[in-house]
Amino acid sequence: MCVFVYFCVCLFADALYFQFQYVCCNIPGPNMPTELFEETINGCLCSGNSCGTLPDQTCSCQLYGANFCEYGLLRETALSLDSLSVVQECNSSCSCSKNCRNRVVQNGVKVRMEVFRDSVKGLCLRALETIERGKFVCEYAGDVLPETEARRRLRNLKDGDMNYLFILREHFQSGVLCTYIDPRNRGNIGRFISHSCCPNLVIVPVRVLNMVPRVCLFASRDIAAGEEVTYDYGQHGDQHGTSQESNVICSCGADNCRGYLPFDSAGM
């Protein structure tokens, strides 16, 4: 409860300036078909807290083995930067317990963090406690948009405007699935996370109740209290952009800094 109130106080003050409405997870934006949010994923038939934990039991929500360890940390293979991992949590249509270990993201933010102002980068986010590798930190949540609306918002950006649009590209055998998320007007603390060429967070798409992916940020290494949390805007070339560079100078300060922020070269 204290963490939730703390975030509300910090973000409310910022909302007065940015006209920013706090949401805890993705919501359908303008002209977005609500059916995508209403069609639920079939639940598993596991009992109690046993989802995928017994040698002879498989959980239909965990297609590639256990998603989380008993301490709620993301499995090591999903932390790899080599490819996007797809995680599906148990949900309200499952027969397992609400305390099932395959329910992490849906329980919300559990680590203490604060928004702070950096003299160069502006508003950023940092940890107020040690965050263990594999720990869920937060989502990048906001309006989920159809491509036409995403393009319209980009065209309407003025010089000096912040571009918060997040493009998630998931590659499946059937093709590429693009999800456009914009937290400019309605979003959460994820919008304050800065880019770094040597980040301490990794992006993992997680599905809970429906097929709309939730862009989730997990600690890719142990993070110390007081340390800024960051992710790579060009991770895999599947999010904010490809590995190509924009004309915006990067201020991450990492030894391997690429010099400029990534950008999306895929026609957006």
Side-chain angles (χ1 to χ4, degrees), residues 19-40:
Q19 296 182 338
F20 165 69
Q21 178 185 349
Y22 180 84
V23 295
C24 61
C25 59
N26 287 337
I27 54 177
N31 304 316
M32 188 69 187
T34 57
E35 293 82 3
L36 295 176
F37 291 81
E38 296 168 352
E39 296 176 359
T40 59

Side-chain angles (χ1 to χ4, degrees), residues 174-200:
S174 58
V176 180
L177 175 64
C178 293
T179 303
Y180 305 92
I181 302 173
D182 187 3
R184 168 173 291 276
N185 300 317
R186 299 186 294 180
N188 70 341
I189 55 173
R191 78 199 292 270
F192 298 108
I193 301 178
S194 297
H195 163 81
S196 176
C197 298
C198 186
N200 50 27

Side-chain angles (χ1 to χ4, degrees), residues 116-146:
F116 71 99
R117 184 176 294 278
D118 179 87
S119 59
V120 176
K121 296 185 290 185
L123 294 178
C124 305
L125 190 67
R126 64 185 168 203
L128 291 179
E129 62 183 62
T130 300
I131 303 176
E132 188 176 354
R133 172 178 166 84
K135 182 80 172 180
F136 171 60
V137 175
C138 70
E139 291 184 52
Y140 191 90
D143 286 329
V144 178
L145 307 173

Side-chain angles (χ1 to χ4, degrees), residues 121 194-200 221 227-228 230-232 249-261:
K121 296 185 290 185
S194 297
H195 163 81
S196 176
C197 298
C198 186
N200 50 27
R221 61 169 174 79
E227 184 178 353
E228 181 183 359
T230 58
Y231 71 96
D232 187 341
I249 295 176
C250 179
S251 303
C252 73
D255 292 339
N256 65 334
C257 180
R258 300 191 290 267
Y260 295 88
L261 293 181

Side-chain angles (χ1 to χ4, degrees), residues 2 33 35 40 42 50 63 71 75 88 91 96 112 155 158 166 175 188 216 218 222 228-229 239 258:
C2 292
E35 293 82 3
T40 59
N42 292 331
S50 61
L63 305 178
Y71 305 109
R75 70 178 191 270
Q88 180 178 316
N91 56 59
C96 58
R112 294 187 302 120
R155 288 196 303 268
K158 301 180 178 60
F166 187 109
N188 70 341
C216 298
F218 292 82
D222 291 345
E228 181 183 359
V229 294
Q239 280 78 40
R258 300 191 290 267

Side-chain angles (χ1 to χ4, degrees), residues 1 55 74 194 205-206 212 246 261:
M1 179 62 70
L74 189 67
S194 297
V206 177
V212 179
S246 68
L261 293 181

Side-chain angles (χ1 to χ4, degrees), residues 78-94:
L79 286 173
S80 171
L81 288 172
D82 296 333
S83 62
L84 279 175
S85 300
V86 178
V87 173
Q88 180 178 316
E89 292 194 357
C90 294
N91 56 59
S92 58
S93 63
C94 295

